[in-house]
PDB file of all heavy atoms in Angstrom:
ATOM      1  N   PHE A 255      29.397 -15.373   8.851  1.00  0.00           N
ATOM      2  CA  PHE A 255      30.443 -14.903   7.923  1.00  0.00           C
ATOM      3  C   PHE A 255      30.453 -13.393   7.911  1.00  0.00           C
ATOM      4  O   PHE A 255      29.433 -12.759   7.966  1.00  0.00           O
ATOM      5  CB  PHE A 255      30.144 -15.371   6.500  1.00  0.00           C
ATOM      6  CG  PHE A 255      30.807 -16.668   6.095  1.00  0.00           C
ATOM      7  CD1 PHE A 255      30.126 -17.548   5.242  1.00  0.00           C
ATOM      8  CD2 PHE A 255      32.059 -16.968   6.496  1.00  0.00           C
ATOM      9  CE1 PHE A 255      30.756 -18.707   4.851  1.00  0.00           C
ATOM     10  CE2 PHE A 255      32.731 -18.156   6.079  1.00  0.00           C
ATOM     11  CZ  PHE A 255      32.038 -19.012   5.216  1.00  0.00           C
ATOM     12  N   GLN A 258      34.395  -9.643   2.823  1.00  0.00           N
ATOM     13  CA  GLN A 258      35.320  -8.594   2.464  1.00  0.00           C
ATOM     14  C   GLN A 258      35.361  -8.370   0.906  1.00  0.00           C
ATOM     15  O   GLN A 258      35.647  -9.306   0.185  1.00  0.00           O
ATOM     16  CB  GLN A 258      36.753  -8.814   3.011  1.00  0.00           C
ATOM     17  CG  GLN A 258      37.619  -7.588   2.742  1.00  0.00           C
ATOM     18  CD  GLN A 258      38.986  -7.784   3.323  1.00  0.00           C
ATOM     19  OE1 GLN A 258      39.631  -8.838   3.256  1.00  0.00           O
ATOM     20  NE2 GLN A 258      39.541  -6.692   3.900  1.00  0.00           N
ATOM     21  N   GLU A 272      35.198 -12.096  -0.248  1.00  0.00           N
ATOM     22  CA  GLU A 272      35.718 -13.275   0.456  1.00  0.00           C
ATOM     23  C   GLU A 272      34.964 -13.471   1.757  1.00  0.00           C
ATOM     24  O   GLU A 272      34.793 -12.473   2.521  1.00  0.00           O
ATOM     25  CB  GLU A 272      37.229 -13.098   0.720  1.00  0.00           C
ATOM     26  CG  GLU A 272      37.781 -14.331   1.491  1.00  0.00           C
ATOM     27  CD  GLU A 272      39.284 -14.280   1.732  1.00  0.00           C
ATOM     28  OE1 GLU A 272      39.974 -13.251   1.395  1.00  0.00           O
ATOM     29  OE2 GLU A 272      39.822 -15.205   2.337  1.00  0.00           O
ATOM     30  N   ALA A 273      34.528 -14.684   1.980  1.00  0.00           N
ATOM     31  CA  ALA A 273      33.789 -15.037   3.175  1.00  0.00           C
ATOM     32  C   ALA A 273      34.783 -15.404   4.278  1.00  0.00           C
ATOM     33  O   ALA A 273      35.645 -16.296   4.100  1.00  0.00           O
ATOM     34  CB  ALA A 273      32.858 -16.225   2.894  1.00  0.00           C
ATOM     35  N   LEU A 274      34.752 -14.667   5.396  1.00  0.00           N
ATOM     36  CA  LEU A 274      35.670 -14.932   6.494  1.00  0.00           C
ATOM     37  C   LEU A 274      34.859 -15.247   7.752  1.00  0.00           C
ATOM     38  O   LEU A 274      33.929 -14.475   8.111  1.00  0.00           O
ATOM     39  CB  LEU A 274      36.581 -13.719   6.713  1.00  0.00           C
ATOM     40  CG  LEU A 274      37.516 -13.487   5.531  1.00  0.00           C
ATOM     41  CD1 LEU A 274      38.005 -12.011   5.451  1.00  0.00           C
ATOM     42  CD2 LEU A 274      38.728 -14.437   5.601  1.00  0.00           C
ATOM     43  N   ILE A 275      35.186 -16.375   8.376  1.00  0.00           N
ATOM     44  CA  ILE A 275      34.377 -16.893   9.453  1.00  0.00           C
ATOM     45  C   ILE A 275      34.543 -16.013  10.738  1.00  0.00           C
ATOM     46  O   ILE A 275      35.624 -15.487  11.023  1.00  0.00           O
ATOM     47  CB  ILE A 275      34.751 -18.343   9.710  1.00  0.00           C
ATOM     48  CG1 ILE A 275      33.691 -19.110  10.507  1.00  0.00           C
ATOM     49  CG2 ILE A 275      36.104 -18.476  10.435  1.00  0.00           C
ATOM     50  CD1 ILE A 275      33.823 -20.583  10.463  1.00  0.00           C
ATOM     51  N   ARG A 276      33.393 -15.775  11.442  1.00  0.00           N
ATOM     52  CA  ARG A 276      33.412 -15.035  12.688  1.00  0.00           C
ATOM     53  C   ARG A 276      32.625 -15.835  13.738  1.00  0.00           C
ATOM     54  O   ARG A 276      31.461 -16.080  13.584  1.00  0.00           O
ATOM     55  CB  ARG A 276      32.691 -13.685  12.422  1.00  0.00           C
ATOM     56  CG  ARG A 276      33.443 -12.754  11.468  1.00  0.00           C
ATOM     57  CD  ARG A 276      34.748 -12.277  12.015  1.00  0.00           C
ATOM     58  NE  ARG A 276      35.521 -11.456  11.147  1.00  0.00           N
ATOM     59  CZ  ARG A 276      36.631 -11.931  10.431  1.00  0.00           C
ATOM     60  NH1 ARG A 276      36.960 -13.204  10.545  1.00  0.00           N
ATOM     61  NH2 ARG A 276      37.315 -11.122   9.668  1.00  0.00           N
ATOM     62  N   PRO A 287      39.670 -16.478  13.910  1.00  0.00           N
ATOM     63  CA  PRO A 287      39.777 -17.733  13.182  1.00  0.00           C
ATOM     64  C   PRO A 287      41.140 -18.398  13.369  1.00  0.00           C
ATOM     65  O   PRO A 287      41.249 -19.580  13.387  1.00  0.00           O
ATOM     66  CB  PRO A 287      39.534 -17.326  11.689  1.00  0.00           C
ATOM     67  CG  PRO A 287      39.264 -15.899  11.649  1.00  0.00           C
ATOM     68  CD  PRO A 287      39.153 -15.388  13.052  1.00  0.00           C
ATOM     69  N   ASP A 288      42.211 -17.560  13.454  1.00  0.00           N
ATOM     70  CA  ASP A 288      43.499 -18.201  13.620  1.00  0.00           C
ATOM     71  C   ASP A 288      43.651 -18.927  14.974  1.00  0.00           C
ATOM     72  O   ASP A 288      44.521 -19.722  15.167  1.00  0.00           O
ATOM     73  CB  ASP A 288      44.633 -17.110  13.550  1.00  0.00           C
ATOM     74  CG  ASP A 288      44.833 -16.673  12.136  1.00  0.00           C
ATOM     75  OD1 ASP A 288      44.604 -17.490  11.183  1.00  0.00           O
ATOM     76  OD2 ASP A 288      45.186 -15.469  11.908  1.00  0.00           O
ATOM     77  N   ILE A 291      40.718 -22.287  13.672  1.00  0.00           N
ATOM     78  CA  ILE A 291      40.819 -23.019  12.382  1.00  0.00           C
ATOM     79  C   ILE A 291      41.977 -24.023  12.412  1.00  0.00           C
ATOM     80  O   ILE A 291      41.801 -25.212  12.085  1.00  0.00           O
ATOM     81  CB  ILE A 291      40.882 -22.076  11.184  1.00  0.00           C
ATOM     82  CG1 ILE A 291      39.582 -21.243  11.052  1.00  0.00           C
ATOM     83  CG2 ILE A 291      41.237 -22.787   9.884  1.00  0.00           C
ATOM     84  CD1 ILE A 291      38.408 -22.047  10.498  1.00  0.00           C
ATOM     85  N   ILE A 300      37.375 -29.493  11.160  1.00  0.00           N
ATOM     86  CA  ILE A 300      37.308 -28.589  10.051  1.00  0.00           C
ATOM     87  C   ILE A 300      36.255 -29.056   9.028  1.00  0.00           C
ATOM     88  O   ILE A 300      35.641 -28.267   8.351  1.00  0.00           O
ATOM     89  CB  ILE A 300      38.689 -28.439   9.343  1.00  0.00           C
ATOM     90  CG1 ILE A 300      38.694 -27.218   8.425  1.00  0.00           C
ATOM     91  CG2 ILE A 300      39.078 -29.743   8.617  1.00  0.00           C
ATOM     92  CD1 ILE A 300      38.754 -25.938   9.076  1.00  0.00           C
ATOM     93  N   VAL A 303      33.261 -27.253   9.868  1.00  0.00           N
ATOM     94  CA  VAL A 303      33.436 -25.891   9.445  1.00  0.00           C
ATOM     95  C   VAL A 303      33.165 -25.726   7.970  1.00  0.00           C
ATOM     96  O   VAL A 303      32.412 -24.835   7.495  1.00  0.00           O
ATOM     97  CB  VAL A 303      34.827 -25.303   9.842  1.00  0.00           C
ATOM     98  CG1 VAL A 303      35.000 -23.928   9.293  1.00  0.00           C
ATOM     99  CG2 VAL A 303      35.056 -25.358  11.362  1.00  0.00           C
ATOM    100  N   ALA A 307      30.417 -23.697   5.999  1.00  0.00           N
ATOM    101  CA  ALA A 307      30.879 -22.562   5.187  1.00  0.00           C
ATOM    102  C   ALA A 307      30.324 -22.652   3.763  1.00  0.00           C
ATOM    103  O   ALA A 307      29.847 -21.623   3.234  1.00  0.00           O
ATOM    104  CB  ALA A 307      32.377 -22.530   5.192  1.00  0.00           C
ATOM    105  N   ASN A 330      37.250 -20.144   1.858  1.00  0.00           N
ATOM    106  CA  ASN A 330      38.579 -20.755   2.142  1.00  0.00           C
ATOM    107  C   ASN A 330      38.435 -22.212   2.425  1.00  0.00           C
ATOM    108  O   ASN A 330      37.617 -22.635   3.242  1.00  0.00           O
ATOM    109  CB  ASN A 330      39.181 -20.025   3.382  1.00  0.00           C
ATOM    110  CG  ASN A 330      39.571 -18.568   3.047  1.00  0.00           C
ATOM    111  OD1 ASN A 330      40.598 -18.350   2.398  1.00  0.00           O
ATOM    112  ND2 ASN A 330      38.739 -17.648   3.469  1.00  0.00           N
ATOM    113  N   LEU A 331      39.282 -23.010   1.788  1.00  0.00           N
ATOM    114  CA  LEU A 331      39.291 -24.453   2.067  1.00  0.00           C
ATOM    115  C   LEU A 331      40.621 -24.751   2.816  1.00  0.00           C
ATOM    116  O   LEU A 331      41.588 -24.041   2.754  1.00  0.00           O
ATOM    117  CB  LEU A 331      39.266 -25.264   0.760  1.00  0.00           C
ATOM    118  CG  LEU A 331      38.013 -25.185  -0.059  1.00  0.00           C
ATOM    119  CD1 LEU A 331      38.126 -26.083  -1.290  1.00  0.00           C
ATOM    120  CD2 LEU A 331      36.760 -25.525   0.697  1.00  0.00           C
ATOM    121  N   SER A 332      40.655 -25.911   3.499  1.00  0.00           N
ATOM    122  CA  SER A 332      41.895 -26.309   4.129  1.00  0.00           C
ATOM    123  C   SER A 332      42.423 -27.635   3.552  1.00  0.00           C
ATOM    124  O   SER A 332      41.779 -28.217   2.715  1.00  0.00           O
ATOM    125  CB  SER A 332      41.619 -26.456   5.654  1.00  0.00           C
ATOM    126  OG  SER A 332      40.778 -27.571   5.864  1.00  0.00           O
ATOM    127  N   GLU A 362      39.311 -20.743  -2.321  1.00  0.00           N
ATOM    128  CA  GLU A 362      40.724 -20.327  -2.052  1.00  0.00           C
ATOM    129  C   GLU A 362      41.429 -21.515  -1.372  1.00  0.00           C
ATOM    130  O   GLU A 362      40.957 -21.974  -0.339  1.00  0.00           O
ATOM    131  CB  GLU A 362      40.803 -19.101  -1.252  1.00  0.00           C
ATOM    132  CG  GLU A 362      40.125 -17.862  -1.908  1.00  0.00           C
ATOM    133  CD  GLU A 362      40.353 -16.542  -1.197  1.00  0.00           C
ATOM    134  OE1 GLU A 362      41.052 -16.479  -0.197  1.00  0.00           O
ATOM    135  OE2 GLU A 362      39.825 -15.535  -1.758  1.00  0.00           O
ATOM    136  N   ASP A 392      45.930 -19.090  -2.339  1.00  0.00           N
ATOM    137  CA  ASP A 392      45.958 -18.077  -1.307  1.00  0.00           C
ATOM    138  C   ASP A 392      47.287 -18.001  -0.649  1.00  0.00           C
ATOM    139  O   ASP A 392      48.123 -18.910  -0.756  1.00  0.00           O
ATOM    140  CB  ASP A 392      44.913 -18.521  -0.226  1.00  0.00           C
ATOM    141  CG  ASP A 392      44.416 -17.448   0.624  1.00  0.00           C
ATOM    142  OD1 ASP A 392      44.833 -16.261   0.470  1.00  0.00           O
ATOM    143  OD2 ASP A 392      43.540 -17.718   1.507  1.00  0.00           O
ATOM    144  N   ASP A 393      47.565 -16.850  -0.002  1.00  0.00           N
ATOM    145  CA  ASP A 393      48.840 -16.720   0.750  1.00  0.00           C
ATOM    146  C   ASP A 393      50.071 -16.944  -0.134  1.00  0.00           C
ATOM    147  O   ASP A 393      51.067 -17.432   0.320  1.00  0.00           O
ATOM    148  CB  ASP A 393      48.879 -17.647   1.950  1.00  0.00           C
ATOM    149  CG  ASP A 393      47.767 -17.384   2.961  1.00  0.00           C
ATOM    150  OD1 ASP A 393      47.030 -16.434   2.786  1.00  0.00           O
ATOM    151  OD2 ASP A 393      47.606 -18.169   3.918  1.00  0.00           O
ATOM    152  N   LYS A 416      49.382 -11.017   2.291  1.00  0.00           N
ATOM    153  CA  LYS A 416      49.404  -9.641   2.807  1.00  0.00           C
ATOM    154  C   LYS A 416      50.700  -9.239   3.439  1.00  0.00           C
ATOM    155  O   LYS A 416      51.053  -8.025   3.472  1.00  0.00           O
ATOM    156  CB  LYS A 416      48.245  -9.423   3.827  1.00  0.00           C
ATOM    157  CG  LYS A 416      48.169 -10.325   5.014  1.00  0.00           C
ATOM    158  CD  LYS A 416      46.986  -9.880   5.899  1.00  0.00           C
ATOM    159  CE  LYS A 416      46.825 -10.706   7.156  1.00  0.00           C
ATOM    160  NZ  LYS A 416      46.376 -12.050   6.937  1.00  0.00           N
ATOM    161  N   LEU A 420      51.494  -5.318   2.870  1.00  0.00           N
ATOM    162  CA  LEU A 420      51.239  -4.327   3.979  1.00  0.00           C
ATOM    163  C   LEU A 420      52.223  -3.189   3.993  1.00  0.00           C
ATOM    164  O   LEU A 420      51.941  -2.087   4.375  1.00  0.00           O
ATOM    165  CB  LEU A 420      51.315  -5.044   5.355  1.00  0.00           C
ATOM    166  CG  LEU A 420      50.143  -5.992   5.647  1.00  0.00           C
ATOM    167  CD1 LEU A 420      50.361  -6.814   6.897  1.00  0.00           C
ATOM    168  CD2 LEU A 420      48.822  -5.139   5.881  1.00  0.00           C
ATOM    169  N   GLU A 449      46.210  -8.885  -1.338  1.00  0.00           N
ATOM    170  CA  GLU A 449      45.430  -8.746  -0.076  1.00  0.00           C
ATOM    171  C   GLU A 449      46.194  -7.912   0.922  1.00  0.00           C
ATOM    172  O   GLU A 449      47.403  -7.815   0.779  1.00  0.00           O
ATOM    173  CB  GLU A 449      45.018 -10.092   0.509  1.00  0.00           C
ATOM    174  CG  GLU A 449      46.185 -10.903   0.978  1.00  0.00           C
ATOM    175  CD  GLU A 449      45.769 -12.219   1.704  1.00  0.00           C
ATOM    176  OE1 GLU A 449      44.655 -12.741   1.533  1.00  0.00           O
ATOM    177  OE2 GLU A 449      46.611 -12.727   2.453  1.00  0.00           O
ATOM    178  N   GLY A 450      45.486  -7.278   1.871  1.00  0.00           N
ATOM    179  CA  GLY A 450      46.186  -6.530   2.880  1.00  0.00           C
ATOM    180  C   GLY A 450      46.520  -5.113   2.430  1.00  0.00           C
ATOM    181  O   GLY A 450      47.559  -4.534   2.803  1.00  0.00           O
ATOM    182  N   VAL A 451      45.684  -4.546   1.587  1.00  0.00           N
ATOM    183  CA  VAL A 451      45.885  -3.169   1.100  1.00  0.00           C
ATOM    184  C   VAL A 451      45.310  -2.199   2.100  1.00  0.00           C
ATOM    185  O   VAL A 451      44.129  -2.110   2.322  1.00  0.00           O
ATOM    186  CB  VAL A 451      45.177  -2.979  -0.304  1.00  0.00           C
ATOM    187  CG1 VAL A 451      45.346  -1.561  -0.732  1.00  0.00           C
ATOM    188  CG2 VAL A 451      45.817  -3.932  -1.281  1.00  0.00           C
ATOM    189  N   GLU A 452      46.218  -1.483   2.780  1.00  0.00           N
ATOM    190  CA  GLU A 452      45.783  -0.611   3.868  1.00  0.00           C
ATOM    191  C   GLU A 452      45.863   0.885   3.582  1.00  0.00           C
ATOM    192  O   GLU A 452      45.464   1.702   4.442  1.00  0.00           O
ATOM    193  CB  GLU A 452      46.560  -0.987   5.155  1.00  0.00           C
ATOM    194  CG  GLU A 452      46.267  -2.386   5.703  1.00  0.00           C
ATOM    195  CD  GLU A 452      46.839  -2.629   7.068  1.00  0.00           C
ATOM    196  OE1 GLU A 452      47.616  -1.795   7.568  1.00  0.00           O
ATOM    197  OE2 GLU A 452      46.467  -3.686   7.621  1.00  0.00           O
ATOM    198  N   GLY A 470      41.473  -5.256   1.014  1.00  0.00           N
ATOM    199  CA  GLY A 470      42.126  -4.834   2.254  1.00  0.00           C
ATOM    200  C   GLY A 470      41.345  -3.753   2.974  1.00  0.00           C
ATOM    201  O   GLY A 470      40.309  -3.261   2.428  1.00  0.00           O
ATOM    202  N   TYR A 471      41.778  -3.453   4.165  1.00  0.00           N
ATOM    203  CA  TYR A 471      40.984  -2.532   5.022  1.00  0.00           C
ATOM    204  C   TYR A 471      40.815  -1.159   4.365  1.00  0.00           C
ATOM    205  O   TYR A 471      39.851  -0.469   4.661  1.00  0.00           O
ATOM    206  CB  TYR A 471      41.761  -2.344   6.361  1.00  0.00           C
ATOM    207  CG  TYR A 471      41.889  -3.556   7.206  1.00  0.00           C
ATOM    208  CD1 TYR A 471      42.779  -3.621   8.271  1.00  0.00           C
ATOM    209  CD2 TYR A 471      41.071  -4.676   6.979  1.00  0.00           C
ATOM    210  CE1 TYR A 471      42.891  -4.767   9.097  1.00  0.00           C
ATOM    211  CE2 TYR A 471      41.167  -5.812   7.782  1.00  0.00           C
ATOM    212  CZ  TYR A 471      42.098  -5.870   8.813  1.00  0.00           C
ATOM    213  OH  TYR A 471      42.206  -6.956   9.612  1.00  0.00           O
ATOM    214  N   PRO A 476      36.165  -6.814   6.473  1.00  0.00           N
ATOM    215  CA  PRO A 476      35.131  -7.804   6.325  1.00  0.00           C
ATOM    216  C   PRO A 476      33.845  -7.302   6.997  1.00  0.00           C
ATOM    217  O   PRO A 476      33.921  -6.884   8.146  1.00  0.00           O
ATOM    218  CB  PRO A 476      35.721  -9.039   6.999  1.00  0.00           C
ATOM    219  CG  PRO A 476      37.222  -8.737   7.012  1.00  0.00           C
ATOM    220  CD  PRO A 476      37.375  -7.284   7.170  1.00  0.00           C
TER     221      PRO A 476
HETATM  222  P1  C2E B 797      43.178 -15.497   4.795  1.00  0.00           P
HETATM  223  O1  C2E B 797      42.362 -16.440   4.001  1.00  0.00           O
HETATM  224  O2  C2E B 797      44.552 -15.217   4.326  1.00  0.00           O
HETATM  225  O3  C2E B 797      42.313 -14.183   5.022  1.00  0.00           O
HETATM  226  C1  C2E B 797      42.858 -12.867   5.046  1.00  0.00           C
HETATM  227  C2  C2E B 797      42.945 -12.332   6.457  1.00  0.00           C
HETATM  228  O4  C2E B 797      43.492 -11.027   6.387  1.00  0.00           O
HETATM  229  C3  C2E B 797      41.606 -12.248   7.150  1.00  0.00           C
HETATM  230  O5  C2E B 797      41.849 -12.481   8.552  1.00  0.00           O
HETATM  231  C4  C2E B 797      41.225 -10.749   6.945  1.00  0.00           C
HETATM  232  O6  C2E B 797      40.311 -10.260   7.892  1.00  0.00           O
HETATM  233  C5  C2E B 797      42.580 -10.121   7.037  1.00  0.00           C
HETATM  234  N1  C2E B 797      42.670  -8.852   6.318  1.00  0.00           N
HETATM  235  C6  C2E B 797      41.903  -8.421   5.311  1.00  0.00           C
HETATM  236  N2  C2E B 797      42.356  -7.197   4.908  1.00  0.00           N
HETATM  237  C7  C2E B 797      43.345  -6.856   5.704  1.00  0.00           C
HETATM  238  C8  C2E B 797      44.209  -5.673   5.779  1.00  0.00           C
HETATM  239  O7  C2E B 797      44.077  -4.687   5.035  1.00  0.00           O
HETATM  240  N3  C2E B 797      45.188  -5.639   6.753  1.00  0.00           N
HETATM  241  C9  C2E B 797      45.314  -6.732   7.581  1.00  0.00           C
HETATM  242  N4  C2E B 797      46.316  -6.626   8.516  1.00  0.00           N
HETATM  243  N5  C2E B 797      44.570  -7.859   7.548  1.00  0.00           N
HETATM  244  C10 C2E B 797      43.586  -7.900   6.600  1.00  0.00           C
HETATM  245  P2  C2E B 797      40.866 -13.364   9.390  1.00  0.00           P
HETATM  246  O8  C2E B 797      39.433 -13.030   9.060  1.00  0.00           O
HETATM  247  O9  C2E B 797      41.277 -13.221  10.810  1.00  0.00           O
HETATM  248  O10 C2E B 797      41.116 -14.850   8.915  1.00  0.00           O
HETATM  249  C11 C2E B 797      42.381 -15.490   9.207  1.00  0.00           C
HETATM  250  C12 C2E B 797      42.528 -16.770   8.468  1.00  0.00           C
HETATM  251  O11 C2E B 797      41.563 -17.696   8.902  1.00  0.00           O
HETATM  252  C13 C2E B 797      42.195 -16.601   6.961  1.00  0.00           C
HETATM  253  O12 C2E B 797      43.365 -16.127   6.301  1.00  0.00           O
HETATM  254  C14 C2E B 797      41.952 -18.076   6.588  1.00  0.00           C
HETATM  255  O13 C2E B 797      43.141 -18.795   6.423  1.00  0.00           O
HETATM  256  C15 C2E B 797      41.286 -18.591   7.862  1.00  0.00           C
HETATM  257  N6  C2E B 797      39.795 -18.580   7.672  1.00  0.00           N
HETATM  258  C16 C2E B 797      38.888 -17.606   7.787  1.00  0.00           C
HETATM  259  N7  C2E B 797      37.646 -18.062   7.534  1.00  0.00           N
HETATM  260  C17 C2E B 797      37.760 -19.339   7.192  1.00  0.00           C
HETATM  261  C18 C2E B 797      36.812 -20.391   6.773  1.00  0.00           C
HETATM  262  O14 C2E B 797      35.587 -20.170   6.644  1.00  0.00           O
HETATM  263  N8  C2E B 797      37.328 -21.637   6.516  1.00  0.00           N
HETATM  264  C19 C2E B 797      38.679 -21.905   6.628  1.00  0.00           C
HETATM  265  N9  C2E B 797      39.105 -23.175   6.377  1.00  0.00           N
HETATM  266  N10 C2E B 797      39.594 -20.945   6.974  1.00  0.00           N
HETATM  267  C20 C2E B 797      39.133 -19.702   7.250  1.00  0.00           C
END
Side-chain angles (χ1 to χ4, degrees):
F255 265 144
Q258 187 175 40
E272 178 177 1
L274 293 157
I275 200 164
R276 296 291 176 260
D288 287 330
I291 293 286
I300 195 73
V303 174
N330 290 284
L331 295 182
S332 67
E362 299 190 1
D392 202 359
D393 299 353
K416 58 177 180 290
L420 288 171
E449 65 174 20
V451 176
E452 293 192 351
Y471 295 163

